[in-house]
Amino acid sequence: MKSVSSSLTSTSNAIEHRCDVLVIGSGAAGLSLALKLAEHCQVIVLSKSDRNEGSTRYAQGGIAAVFDEQDSIDAHVKDTLNAGGGLCEEPAVRFTTERAKDALSWLIGYGVPFDTEKTESGEKRFHLTREGGHSHRRILHAADATGEALQITLNDAVSTHPNIHIFERYNAIDLIPSKTQKGHCVGAYVWNRTQEHVEVIRAPFIALATGGGSKVYQYTSNPDVSSGDGIAMAWRAGCRVANMEFNQFHPTCLFHPQARNFLITEALRGEGAFLCHADGTRFMKKFDERGDLAPRDVVARAIDYEMKRLGADCMYLDISHKPADFIVKHFPNIYRKCRSLGIDITREPIPVVPAAHYSCGGVMTDFNAKTDLENVYAIGEVAYTGLHGANRMASNSLLECIVFATAAAEHIISKLPIASCEEPILPWDESQVSDSDEEVIIQHNWHELRLFMWDYVGIVRTNKRLERAMRRIQLLEQEINEYYSHFRVSNNLLELRNLVTVAELIVRCAMARKESRGLHFNLDHPEQLANPVPTILAPEPNESQSVPGSLNATSSSPHL
């Protein structure tokens, strides 16, 4: 087993770090992979911000697995397929659900504090809740802050392991392709946000666990770090992506000027909350026989429709008919947050709106989580495994992280030990660029991108809206390319560069799908095709980069 090393190269004065496995991302997927590898090799985990600041931390509902004797894996499979709108790949669904209980048992072994209850005979068991799309109670949860409990537990575990090294406040810029082994990468260029310079991490295995790209939309439940970095990096390196048109809008985010990103978990509806107008009139039965427990795509469109029909700013979610003690016990964080904003959910309904929440598509992988590149893996929201189809079922996302982290770890371990590639890496050169004197351009482009994506590529789409979005994306790409060529990198520039790539992939996939299905609803193609297939995009030779650090895959990059 090697040790992590760092050195200063004499040719470029660049810092180079070495490890066995580079994990880009510090959420549930990345930290689980690191822990499963740590007894076998040296791991560097790259965290773009504070290691706690990712989508995992904000996940409220829970993790789905079959623990109830009345439930079954077949039922979990069936529910997932139904929620996925006919586009889930059944082998992927079965692969995940069959490994769900082992994944949860592994987390329980690390001490994740899932809620328990006593049976009538006095025995202790896990408290299982139910969410939209599920036919049984199968959601293990830690009150209404499961993600936070999971993140804290995993962080505590990696913090004490001598073979795991956390690099906080580092942006991954690009994967570095091998010049001697086709289809391999030798590491990544990374930007040290604290020291404000570019470094190299060399590793024979690389895992992308960067989450999704919901920050491409103006309104999102995701934290600021969700800028599609892994998807964009993998695309530039030559990986295929699939189903990028399926962006899940969580139907119930808190509508309040001081809490734009605060999620109201679907578990409220699982415990009896209902959606209604301001006057208390319920409306979900008009849209789906499952009513308030319909899948997220149905509920989000229903809320969007009612808001537009009535000219209303929001709809309402009401659980106040339940006992106050029950509400406070099961949803303490939501209760406290709403109370801090003057809303008492034990007495009044919660104002809610849909917001971009989850990317169902991503970088294509196999059941080992391996991408099109031989030594590059993708795990969690960044990946397309076939599990989610046209709409992700609630509480299958954290499950996917753990199941495929396990699969990736087993595959990597089977290939160890492996010598690190010693081929020369081109140094990062900033001699031809300068510090930006027009940061306002990034801000303007940033706001323009997120606004037109929300307006044109949101919950309801049309051909004309998609065409308008693509024209604006192409103009933005030209401006960002020019900016990237003249100025030193920064966090905002790197994120904007990745987001515009993700936006293009979303629109290209949306334009290719000539039907309405799941999360993709196009007024010009309202019907469903008889034999739907995933939307797969493959980079053309001039789209995938041959030299890292370049936005347009040319060797004339100012940084190299």
Side-chain angles (χ1 to χ4, degrees):
M1 185 185 298
K2 305 172 196 167
S3 61
V4 166
S5 64
S6 300
S7 62
L8 186 67
T9 62
S10 58
T11 55
S12 63
N13 291 326
I15 295 175
E16 181 177 298
H17 311 275
R18 293 171 180 247
C19 62
D20 298 308
V21 183
L22 168 61
V23 178
I24 303 175
S26 59
L31 296 185
S32 296
L33 176 61
L35 283 169
K36 289 175 177 291
L37 289 170
E39 295 303 319
H40 303 271
C41 59
Q42 294 286 332
V43 182
I44 288 178
V45 177
L46 210 68
S47 180
K48 189 162 66 171
S49 185
D50 178 277
R51 71 180 72 179
N52 288 309
E53 190 59 25
S55 293
T56 294
R57 173 186 169 190
Y58 297 97
Q60 294 179 349
I63 309 177
V66 174
F67 275 75
D68 189 340
E69 292 180 357
Q70 304 302 314
D71 197 3
S72 69
I73 290 173
D74 285 342
H76 193 177
V77 170
K78 182 179 179 181
D79 293 343
T80 301
L81 294 174
N82 287 339
L87 266 186
C88 296
E89 297 183 26
E90 186 167 355
V93 176
R94 191 162 292 280
F95 178 89
T96 307
T97 54
E98 286 178 347
R99 289 159 177 77
K101 190 169 184 179
D102 285 346
L104 270 292
S105 298
W106 181 77
L107 292 176
I108 292 165
Y110 267 101
V112 177
F114 293 114
D115 284 8
T116 58
E117 61 182 359
K118 286 187 176 181
T119 65
E120 293 181 0
S121 62
E123 294 180 297
K124 189 169 74 170
R125 67 183 178 189
F126 290 109
H127 179 268
L128 304 174
T129 190
R130 182 182 173 192
E131 298 182 347
H134 290 273
S135 59
H136 292 78
R137 286 181 172 266
R138 65 168 67 100
I139 315 299
L140 276 74
H141 63 101
D144 59 347
T146 307
E148 185 175 13
L150 176 58
Q151 186 75 39
I152 290 172
T153 302
L154 294 177
N155 265 328
D156 288 345
V158 301
S159 297
T160 58
H161 203 293
N163 293 339
I164 300 176
H165 312 269
I166 308 291
F167 285 30
E168 289 186 300
R169 298 188 61 78
Y170 274 79
N171 290 62
I173 300 174
D174 267 314
L175 301 176
I176 305 174
S178 171
K179 295 178 181 177
T180 61
Q181 298 183 79
K182 186 176 181 180
H184 286 72
C185 289
V186 295
Y189 291 105
V190 300
W191 187 63
N192 184 327
R193 292 174 64 176
T194 303
Q195 302 296 326
E196 296 190 346
H197 60 68
V198 176
E199 301 172 7
V200 169
I201 300 180
R202 187 190 290 265
F205 298 101
I206 303 164
L208 302 171
T210 53
S214 288
K215 198 177 174 183
V216 76
Y217 288 102
Q218 184 178 21
Y219 301 110
T220 175
S221 65
N222 285 194
D224 285 345
V225 295
S226 299
S227 51
D229 302 336
I231 296 170
M233 288 167 56
W235 175 258
R236 290 193 293 266
C239 294
R240 292 172 300 161
V241 299
N243 280 11
M244 292 294 294
E245 71 269 38
F246 296 115
N247 310 102
Q248 187 172 81
F249 290 80
H250 196 288
T252 53
C253 281
L254 180 62
F255 179 71
H256 193 281
Q258 297 176 30
R260 288 182 177 269
N261 293 349
F262 190 73
L263 189 71
I264 304 297
T265 176
E266 196 163 348
L268 265 82
R269 288 184 283 126
E271 294 295 345
F274 58 81
L275 288 156
C276 60
H277 299 145
D279 63 0
T281 304
R282 300 174 68 168
F283 57 85
M284 276 307 304
K285 282 289 186 181
K286 293 191 305 181
F287 297 92
D288 194 283
E289 62 182 12
R290 291 164 289 188
D292 296 288
L293 286 176
R296 289 178 178 179
D297 60 325
V298 176
V299 179
R301 279 198 301 275
I303 294 173
D304 183 69
Y305 178 87
E306 290 297 289
M307 287 171 58
K308 289 174 178 174
R309 182 177 71 85
L310 298 172
D313 292 330
C314 64
M315 288 291 107
Y316 294 86
L317 183 65
D318 195 351
I319 198 171
S320 62
H321 53 282
K322 289 283 188 177
D325 289 346
F326 173 88
I327 296 171
V328 175
K329 176 184 177 182
H330 285 278
F331 307 105
N333 290 290
I334 293 174
Y335 172 77
R336 284 194 296 268
K337 180 67 173 182
C338 289
R339 282 290 285 172
S340 73
L341 298 170
I343 304 166
D344 184 351
I345 68 173
T346 66
R347 295 174 177 270
E348 58 188 315
I350 308 166
V352 294
V353 293
H357 180 62
Y358 191 87
S359 305
C360 287
V363 183
M364 293 188 72
T365 72
D366 61 16
F367 289 172
N368 294 315
K370 191 173 72 65
T371 69
D372 291 328
L373 298 169
E374 284 300 316
N375 62 333
V376 177
Y377 300 76
I379 315 162
E381 191 177 352
V382 68
Y384 169 81
T385 64
L387 172 63
H388 304 307
N391 177 39
R392 176 178 71 82
M393 190 168 70
S395 291
N396 272 351
S397 55
L398 292 176
L399 172 63
E400 183 184 39
C401 290
I402 313 304
V403 167
F404 281 89
T406 303
E410 291 173 352
H411 194 254
I412 291 171
I413 291 167
S414 73
K415 298 171 76 173
L416 290 171
I418 186 171
S420 178
C421 178
E422 295 301 323
E423 69 178 61
I425 292 177
L426 284 175
W428 191 269
D429 182 9
E430 293 188 331
S431 63
Q432 301 178 55
V433 296
S434 60
D435 290 324
S436 170
D437 59 355
E438 295 183 333
E439 188 77 13
V440 67
I441 293 175
I442 295 180
Q443 295 301 322
H444 284 177
N445 287 349
W446 186 279
H447 293 308
E448 181 185 355
L449 174 67
R450 299 181 74 198
L451 180 60
F452 72 64
M453 285 296 290
W454 180 263
D455 288 340
Y456 299 152
V457 200
I459 296 173
V460 177
R461 303 160 178 176
T462 67
N463 291 346
K464 185 173 289 186
R465 292 174 188 173
L466 295 175
E467 291 166 0
R468 288 172 178 165
M470 184 58 78
R471 286 197 295 270
R472 282 158 175 77
I473 287 169
Q474 290 169 344
L475 290 173
L476 280 181
E477 285 178 331
Q478 294 175 10
E479 290 186 18
I480 294 166
N481 183 24
E482 181 180 355
Y483 197 97
Y484 183 80
S485 300
H486 288 89
F487 300 109
R488 291 188 175 91
V489 297
S490 66
N491 179 67
N492 286 343
L493 175 57
L494 292 172
E495 289 190 336
L496 178 61
R497 176 192 181 211
N498 290 331
L499 280 174
V500 77
T501 297
V502 170
E504 180 187 352
L505 296 175
I506 290 171
V507 174
R508 284 173 62 173
C509 284
M511 294 175 80
R513 184 163 293 281
K514 306 300 184 183
E515 64 166 351
S516 289
R517 182 177 299 275
L519 301 165
H520 173 74
F521 190 81
N522 187 329
L523 292 174
D524 293 314
H525 302 284
E527 304 300 323
Q528 291 191 349
L529 298 176
N531 298 299
V533 295
T535 309
I536 299 174
L537 300 180
E540 297 294 331
N542 63 341
E543 288 180 313
S544 60
Q545 64 175 42
S546 57
V547 178
S550 164
L551 191 61
N552 281 336
T554 65
S555 58
S556 59
S557 167
H559 301 300
L560 293 169

